[in-house]
Amino acid sequence: MAIWNSLGKYRDTGLLVLRIGLGVMMIIHGLPKLQGGPELWAGVGKSMGTIGVHFMPTFWGFMAAATETVGGLFLLLGLFFRPAALLLAFTMVIAGLMHLSKGDGISGASHAIELCFVFLGLILIGPGKHSVDKK
C-alpha cells in the first residue's frame, strides 16, 4: 500500500518518538536507584559479580543508576547519543545476566535483553535530525 511506503519520510520523527519514550522510561527506572544512596548502589553493583567483577560494588551500582538516569536524559535529548546508548546497552547486558544468574530464566531477563538490542540498533542508526547532536 502506498501509505506504508510514504512513511519512510518520517524516519527522523520515528527516531524522536523512540528516543523520548525510551529516555523517559530509563529515567523513571534510574532515578529511584540514583536517589537510593550508597546502600542501594552497593546492592545494584553486586550484579557486576556475574562477569567476575567483585570489587567496588557501590561505585558500580552508582554508575548503573547514573547511566540509566543521565543516559536516559541524553537519549531523550539526542546529546552524546551513541556513547549514552552504548553505556545503556552494557547496563542492560549486566541486568540480563543478573536475572539469568538469579534463576529468573529468559522471561525474567527478556526486558533487559530486548532493551540491549534496541540500544545497539540505535547506536548504528544514530539520533536522527531532531537531536542536540545534530544541531
Side-chain angles (χ1 to χ4, degrees), residues 41-50 53-54 56-58 60-61 94 98:
W41 301 338
V44 171
K46 288 180 184 174
S47 298
M48 289 291 286
T50 62
V53 176
H54 300 284
M56 296 173 42
T58 303
W60 294 116
I94 300 302
M98 182 270 305

Side-chain angles (χ1 to χ4, degrees), residues 30 33-34 44-45 58-69 88 91:
K33 292 175 191 155
L34 193 59
V44 171
T58 303
F59 169 77
W60 294 116
F62 171 79
M63 292 304 291
T67 296
E68 288 182 13
T69 306
L88 286 164
T91 302

Side-chain angles (χ1 to χ4, degrees), residues 18-101:
L18 274 173
R19 284 195 356 253
I20 291 171
L22 288 171
V24 167
M25 293 310 296
M26 292 311 298
I27 292 167
I28 289 170
H29 281 281
L31 192 57
K33 292 175 191 155
L34 193 59
Q35 294 171 331
E39 190 173 314
L40 180 61
W41 301 338
V44 171
K46 288 180 184 174
S47 298
M48 289 291 286
T50 62
I51 59 169
V53 176
H54 300 284
F55 58 90
M56 296 173 42
T58 303
F59 169 77
W60 294 116
F62 171 79
M63 292 304 291
T67 296
E68 288 182 13
T69 306
V70 178
L73 177 64
F74 284 170
L75 198 74
L76 188 151
L77 296 173
L79 177 65
F80 306 118
F81 180 80
R82 286 186 166 107
L86 180 63
L87 290 171
L88 286 164
F90 177 76
T91 302
M92 293 302 106
V93 166
I94 300 302
L97 289 172
M98 182 270 305
H99 283 289
L100 291 172
S101 72

Side-chain angles (χ1 to χ4, degrees), residues 11-20 72-84 122 125-135:
R11 175 186 178 274
D12 290 304
T13 305
L15 283 169
L16 177 63
V17 170
L18 274 173
R19 284 195 356 253
I20 291 171
L73 177 64
F74 284 170
L75 198 74
L76 188 151
L77 296 173
L79 177 65
F80 306 118
F81 180 80
R82 286 186 166 107
L122 286 173
I125 295 169
K129 72 178 181 182
H130 305 301
S131 67
V132 174
D133 282 350
K134 294 295 178 181
K135 300 294 177 206

